[in-house]
Amino acid sequence: MIKGIAASAGVSVSKVFKLQHPVVNIEKREANVEEEIKKLQDAIVATQKDIEAIKANAVGRLADEELAIFDAHLMVTQDPEFIGQIEEQIKNDSVNAEYAVHEVSSMFIGMFESMEDPYFRERAADIKDVTYRMQTHILGLIIPDLTTINEEVVIVAEDLTPSDTAQLNRQFVKGFATEIGGRTSHSAIMARSLEIPAVVGAGSLLDKCEHGDSIILDAIDGAIIFKPTEAQIAEYTAKGEAFAAHKESLKALKDAESVTTDGHHVELAGNIGTPNDVEGVVNNGGEGVGLYRTEFLYMDASELPNEEDQYNAYKTVLENMAPGRVVVRTLDIGGDKELSYLKFPHEMNPFLGYRAIRLCLDRTDIFRVQLRALLRASVHGKLSIMFPMIATIQEFRDAKALFLEEKKNLTKEGVAVSDDIELGMMVEIPAAAILADQFAKEADFFSIGTNDLIQYSMAADRMNEKVSYLYQPYNPSILRLVKMTIDGAHKEGKWCGMCGEMAGDEKAIPLLLGLGLDEFSMSASSILEARRIIRDLSFAEMQELANTALNMSTTEEVLELLAKHVA
Ligand code: PEP
Ligand code: MG
């Protein structure tokens, strides 16, 4: 058994399709300049045709932002700086085209890979993908065509490029296993979007199997077995069937109420990063969107998105989620999230620095554009807006004042805006949790951001492995902050949700329910399981459980309590 990272859940028992790309041997040769330029130009045209064909084949199967990868690839083939430098090298050194492509692309790839910004590191992957294609055309090599697969297989490869993944046909491709890659690599993200089981980063695989070998892909626990025994085949077939049956049984809860055995209702919502994610929330029975992280709109662009582009994105989300509520979080940039086109001075403690609402209240030019776009979109559904990283009442008042100013401006311009937009805030700084009863007099709702609330309460960087032992959602101190926030909201008749990862944690749900949380927002794929758990619990019993937990002294005690009382 070979272990890897489970990147997209499922189990497949099938046959190996070995995807090995031809090796391009690059040697420097002296060559005829005109011939090489011609080869280069032909290769560019052929590469563009390939990319267009792959994209056309993927339309309807991949989301728009994934299709955009192919536009990025086309742009590489049209980039005057990139292509110009290759031509220069051929002319100046009288060298062969594939060598010139190799030299120039290596320079660009090295430059992009050395940048910290993930946006630029992705550009390095784009250039690699495109130059490989160009070189195979120059050398007359053939890349295996995944679109011709017409029997059930599991693909085994060193890695899958985005273009490989886009060509996968779900009817025949029952999964893939790769030697390299992680949960957030492009191919893993696409596998989840296509719902194809995938195990990535499994180490050497290609030298352990032959084309057509039987294979078990366990993308629940991250394992691969080549040439399994009859007993293993039976065991994993059963595991796959159980997984499919569980998934299928949860579907019955798609339209069920999120209600406890004693009649207490809560709302289950989804977290999204792009308008395309709404579909997953709806398909998984989400009652609304509890967190729309709008920063991705800014991070996926090469400049600040204008009012029109933002309006369109917000309108799409609102329309597709209607009549359900959509909680849009205003720009939360800074900390670990940077914008390549908006540089700020380096900070010693970026998580404690110039970020989120602090930045927006300073750069009101940026903030106002977003508020206007949101206000204009508000007529297309049920919009709630929340501000991230609120620490003081004054910050909330300032943000609200800007919102009201833009509302007035738009009304004066004759633009229709909704009159019942809720204005709330994230509670992710302990100061806000402690003063929740005061904040609740001004905010319409709270959403607890435990990802940050825990790091700020424990003074433990959420990105730092060395202090990850302090990242304790079940620590009674965190539970008390959550309780104070919920009680503060309820005292003023306001609702309180949670959009941090803790809200979708199966173990935490009974406690959060008992603490009185009104809304749970999580990744779409967790919603149905959360509903199943809630429907099996008694609210009165969970209130008692939560009370006991609040009076414990350690995380371990709370976990023990949960293990004892919740199945
Ligand atoms: C949080 O802090 O819990 C949260 C939901 O926001 P993010 O993870 O985007 O910081
Ligand atoms: Mg946060």
Side-chain angles (χ1 to χ4, degrees), residues 325-330 357 361 367 370-372 374-375 378 382-388 390 393 395-407 418-427 438-447 489 494-496:
R325 172 172 54 207
V326 174
V327 180
V328 180
R329 174 173 79 185
T330 58
I357 198 67
L361 291 176
F367 196 34
Q370 181 170 41
L371 293 171
R372 283 175 66 88
L374 282 167
L375 277 155
S378 66
K382 189 165 169 11
L383 173 67
S384 298
I385 297 174
M386 68 179 171
F387 306 121
I390 294 282
I393 300 267
E395 284 173 333
F396 185 81
R397 286 180 186 158
D398 290 346
K400 183 170 176 173
L402 286 167
F403 168 84
L404 291 175
E405 250 180 68
E406 286 310 327
K407 186 175 174 193
S418 162
D419 246 337
D420 77 290
I421 304 172
E422 287 182 311
L423 272 194
M425 57 184 263
M426 300 264 308
V427 174
Q438 299 303 319
F439 277 101
K441 292 179 180 152
E442 318 211 7
D444 295 326
F445 68 93
F446 295 148
S447 185
K494 309 290 170 67
W495 63 270
C496 182

Side-chain angles (χ1 to χ4, degrees), residues 271 291 293 295 329 332 336-337 351 355 426-428 448-453 462 471 499-501:
N271 291 349
L291 167 64
R293 288 183 164 100
E295 51 275 10
R329 174 173 79 185
D332 183 3
D336 61 330
K337 290 177 267 189
F351 272 109
R355 58 172 293 201
M426 300 264 308
V427 174
E428 45 192 345
I448 306 175
T450 44
N451 305 346
D452 278 318
L453 183 63
R462 73 195 241 194
Y471 202 81
C499 59
E501 287 304 308

